[in-house]
Amino acid sequence: SFWEVAAGAEKTAVVGWWGTWPAGASGTRGGYVVSDVAVTALRRGRGVEQAFHPSSWGVSRGARWLAAADAAAAADEGTTALPPGGAAVAREALAIDLFALDAVADAFADPEVGLGAVYLPGQDILRARLRELGADPFAALEALARHARIVDRRLGALLAEGLGQYRLDVDDRHQ
């Protein structure tokens, strides 16, 4: 993976990317990894140690990141008329993205981290699940826009808090 190659030259922080399970894979010794299954591992209480590298770093912080993400997602109930189960899907998708942002922010608190990559799958999850639930297209669009606004505000706050010294690339291509 690109972060394993980069870890040969500098300390890296990788959050939520496919292929990060188990997080202690070779090449990650020079940084931090939060697996794409970290939220699921925390919710189920199984595989938590394998979801983070170093595991002691992630295990000690993961529950805090998830509690903060859940609280923020629950605080935004929105007014969109979603089908049954739609609001829960919107909360979970938002919690996943907010969790990832808090995790990468904690990793970047280490001044030796030179490269970070975070994948935010929340909008893709939300779009797919709302389609499966038969959501009205306009209600789904409103839910997706609300999700994007909340993630954008959180990302802006993180950049204002000190992550602004880093380059931020956003891939907004959706399939």
Side-chain angles (χ1 to χ4, degrees), residues 85-110:
V89 167
R91 282 191 303 274
E92 182 65 10
L94 183 58
I96 289 168
D97 282 356
L98 296 176
F99 173 90
L101 289 174
D102 283 348
V104 80
D106 265 12
F108 270 109
D110 179 343

Side-chain angles (χ1 to χ4, degrees), residues 8 17-19 28 30 34 39 48 55 57 63 66 74 77 108 114 117 124 130-131 145 149 162 172:
W17 285 86
W18 293 5
T28 60
V34 177
V39 169
V48 176
S55 62
W57 170 80
L66 188 56
E77 285 299 320
F108 270 109
D124 293 333
L130 289 179
R131 184 179 295 151
R149 284 191 302 270
D172 60 358

Side-chain angles (χ1 to χ4, degrees), residues 13 32 57 61 103-113 163 165-166:
Y32 305 94
W57 170 80
R61 292 166 171 81
V104 80
D106 265 12
F108 270 109
D110 179 343
E112 294 180 18
V113 171
L163 291 182
Q165 65 193 3
Y166 298 97

